[in-house]
Every structure is written in C-alpha cells, then in structure tokens.
C-alpha cells in the first residue's frame, strides 16, 4: 500500500487520539529507522524511551523468536519460568524483594496505587489512603493515573468524575510535601526526573530529604521509573543517583527491549500486603514478554558497558546542545541526566520537530517548548554530531 493510502486509511479506521506526523516507519536497526518511502532516519526518540537498546536488538529478537516457538501464554494460574527468572533478575539488581508484572506503565502505577493503599490501611489504619504527587508529573492515561498526573490538561470535565485521594505539590519542593501530609496520607508518588513534564530535575538533595521525611511519618515512597528506569539516566534505575531506597518502583517502557511489559517492584514488607485475589492481569508476566525482558535487562547490564556509554554520550550530547545554546539566544536551557535530555526554547518546538524529520532525525517536543532527546543508549559521537549539525541548520533559519 502506498504511504498516502496508508495515511488516508489510518485517518479513516484508527481512532483519532494522536496527532501524528505523516511518516510510516517500516524497519529499524540500532539507531536507524527507515520509512515506507525508503528514507533513513537517526532516532533520538527511541519510541519514547522504549528502544534503549536500539531497534531490534539481536538478543531481544532471538529471545522472542525462541520463546514464541516454545510457549507464548498460559495464564497466571500457573508458575511461569521466564516470569520467575525476570523477577529474580530485577530483585538481584535493585532494592526490591518481589515483583508484580503487567503490560504498561499506567497499569504498573495502578498496581502501585492499590498496593500502597492496602499497605497503609493494614499498617496504619482506615483513614490512610491519600497519595501526594507532583505538579507537571505524568503517570499514565487510565482513570487513576490521569488523576495522579498533576497537570490540568489531563483532567478535562468530559472524563469526570475523577478518582479521589490525590493531592499535588510542586516538584522538588520539600516543604510543600511536609505541608501537604495529613492523617490521611499514605504515600508520595513521583518520577525521579519528570520526563513528559519537560525534563525537570529536582534539587540534588531533594529525594534524600524526602526519604527521611517519609520515614519519620511512616509513609511510602513510590517512584515512577517507567521512563527513567532501564539505564536511561546512566544507572539501571534513576533512584541509584540519589543514594536512597524507595518502597515501590514502577517500570515499563524499555523493560521489554521494545516488547510490551510493565512491572511493580516492592520491598518484602510492602509486597506482603498483596494476597491471592488482590491484583491480577491476564497477560501480565506472560512467557513472551518476560523472555524479551530477561534479554533486555541482561543486555543493559552486560559488563556495565551500556550504562557507562549512556553517561559518556549524555555528556557529549549536552555539550553539543550547549554549544547551540551559546549561539542562539532563543534557547533558554539545556538539562538532563544520562540520555534523558531537554532543550527549552522560548517558542513552540513543534516546527523544529517537523524540520528535524525532514533532515532525517526523529526528535520530540514536550510541554510545547522543550525539545526532548531520549535516544537509544547505543548512540555514537557521529549520531550526535549529525543531530547538532541538523539543529544548527534549522535554528539558523529562525535567526532574524
Ligand atoms: C510513559 C509513562 C507512563 C505511562 O506508560 P504507558 O505504558 O503509556 O501506560 C507512566 N509514567 C511515566 C513516567 C511515563 O513516562
């Protein structure tokens, strides 16, 4: 089918919930994507921080092929070998003692909210159910997770009534959390670095002090690492940067190396609150997704190479973006950690994204004015040099 015909039928048969670029990608390998016209692109979006290993990583591809031939789905009425192996791998490499598997980030956060509420009720009493989240956060698109998301644009009247029991505080403001805590509070849920909200980093000591505050009050810390997990910030999980241990962490995006999977990680003390019947998912932890997940986690951890590359290339990319910032006064800020990097402009970035596509680079813009770069962690200096040169050409045209 021709590209025009595909786009026409997409407009006719697919529900109209996304603003899409007129591009159909048909093949990917490493840092590269090819569209239906045969044009090649360098990918600095990675399917929104999903393809951390690059497109079609050979170990993930082989793991999926082998598992697909063997067993794809049986249900959680039975023990599942790849699920057990992936849970063990995640526990051995994190703060966690136990894992629940689901299929997406929103679902992982739903599970975390249920677990935190049950834990707080059982351990502290009937009135403990409220969860404090941050403004400009993003936690997903289900009813509970849009409510948890501290952005008005995700709360239109059309979807009301919203779930009760959420309260928002400015991200990075410790006093605001302290002031928001009441006898009803059960947990604080935050991203270690806000990604969709414009790549916002908290003050250096924020999470350490927040952890102390929550320990004093007997409250849980839920970290939404759906985007920051799996090596994105240069460590397997972003909380490692802060020297703290959370009570619950949610994962999805890059966990399956491109395959759909989500997970809730928790300490034994907290996980104990879930008993058979409390939470479930038909597809959660299925053999196929978990086989992909095992390959992906192993590939991220292999020799520590990818994590150190992520840190090194993140610095290199920030250096290149800062050189542009010195040249163009309309660039307000460059910030990030590892390969989760934002460039704030003083104008709407949508056109820059379109121009970049024409130049053969896939980038993204969030919160209207923040260009976001979340490339595969395998990128090279050449990829970065190419992007910086393309952005330079695009920005040049904007100069008065
Ligand atoms: C993407 C994202 C989600 C939602 O994940 P889905 O798989 O789209 O449901 C939740 N939290 C964060 C921080 C995310 O980046």
């Amino acid at each position: 089918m021709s590209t025009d015909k595909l786009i026409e039928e997409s407009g006719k048969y697919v529900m109209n919930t996304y603003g899409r670029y007129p591009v159909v990608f048909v093949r990917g390998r490493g840092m590269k994507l090819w569209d239906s016209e045969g044009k090649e692109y360098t990918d600095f979006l990675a399917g929104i921080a999903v393809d951390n290993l690059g497109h079609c990583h050979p170990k993930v591809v082989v793991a999926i092929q082998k598992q697909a031939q063997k067993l794809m789905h049986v249900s959680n009425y039975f023990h599942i070998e790849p699920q057990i192996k992936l849970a063990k791998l995640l526990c051995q490499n994190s703060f966690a003692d136990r894992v629940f598997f689901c299929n997406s980030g929103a679902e992982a956060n739903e599970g975390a909210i249920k677990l935190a509420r049950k834990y707080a009720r059982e351990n502290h009493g009937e009135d403990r159910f409220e969860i404090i989240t941050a403004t400009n956060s993003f936690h997903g698109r289900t009813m509970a997770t849009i409510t948890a998301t501290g952005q008005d644009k995700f709360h239109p009247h059309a979807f009301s009534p919203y779930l009760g029991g959420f309260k928002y505080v400015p991200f990075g403001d410790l006093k605001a959390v302290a002031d928001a805590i009441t006898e009803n509070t059960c947990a604080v849920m935050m991203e270690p670095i806000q990604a969709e909200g414009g790549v916002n980093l908290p003050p250096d000591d924020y999470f350490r002090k927040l952890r102390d505050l929550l320990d004093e009050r007997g409250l849980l810390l839920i970290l939404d690492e759906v985007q920051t997990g799996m090596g994105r910030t240069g460590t397997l999980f972003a909380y490692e940067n802060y020297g703290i241990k959370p009570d619950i962490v949610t994962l999805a995006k890059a966990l399956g190396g491109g395959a759909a999977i989500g997970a809730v990680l928790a300490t034994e003390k907290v996980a104990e609150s879930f008993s058979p019947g409390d939470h479930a998912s038909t597809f959660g932890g299925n053999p196929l997704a978990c086989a992909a997940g095992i390959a992906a986690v192993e590939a991220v951890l292999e020799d520590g190479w990818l994590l150190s590359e992520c840190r090194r290339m993140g610095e290199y990319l920030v250096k290149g973006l800062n050189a542009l910032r010195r040249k163009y006064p309309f660039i307000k800020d460059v910030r990030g950690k590892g390969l989760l990097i934002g460039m704030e402009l003083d104008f709407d970035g949508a056109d820059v994204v379109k121009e970049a596509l024409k130049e053969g680079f896939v980038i993204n813009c969030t919160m209207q004015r923040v260009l976001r770069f979340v490339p595969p962690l395998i990128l090279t200096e050449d990829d970065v040099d190419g992007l910086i040169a393309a952005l330079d050409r695009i920005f040049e045209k904007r100069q008065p």
Side-chain angles (χ1 to χ4, degrees), residues 7-21 141 159:
I7 292 170
E8 184 197 320
E9 298 212 339
S10 174
K12 196 168 159 195
Y13 294 112
V14 180
M15 271 201 210
N16 189 23
T17 63
Y18 301 99
R20 298 181 199 261
Y21 300 103
R141 296 296 207 132
F159 301 145

Side-chain angles (χ1 to χ4, degrees), residues 30-32 42-46 51-54 232 305-306 308-318 338-341 361 373-388:
M31 280 297 292
K32 299 293 182 192
T42 307
D43 188 4
F44 278 79
L45 178 60
D51 304 300
N52 286 14
L53 299 166
R232 175 57 54 193
W305 175 82
L306 197 64
S308 68
E309 271 301 285
C310 172
R311 295 190 290 270
R312 190 176 74 82
M313 289 309 301
E315 280 168 25
Y316 189 76
L317 177 51
V318 165
L339 284 165
L340 170 55
I341 297 168
F361 288 89
F373 307 97
V374 281
L377 313 183
I378 57 165
L379 84 172
T380 65
E381 278 94 342
D382 276 355
D383 297 319
V384 172
D385 295 347
L387 173 77
I388 300 297

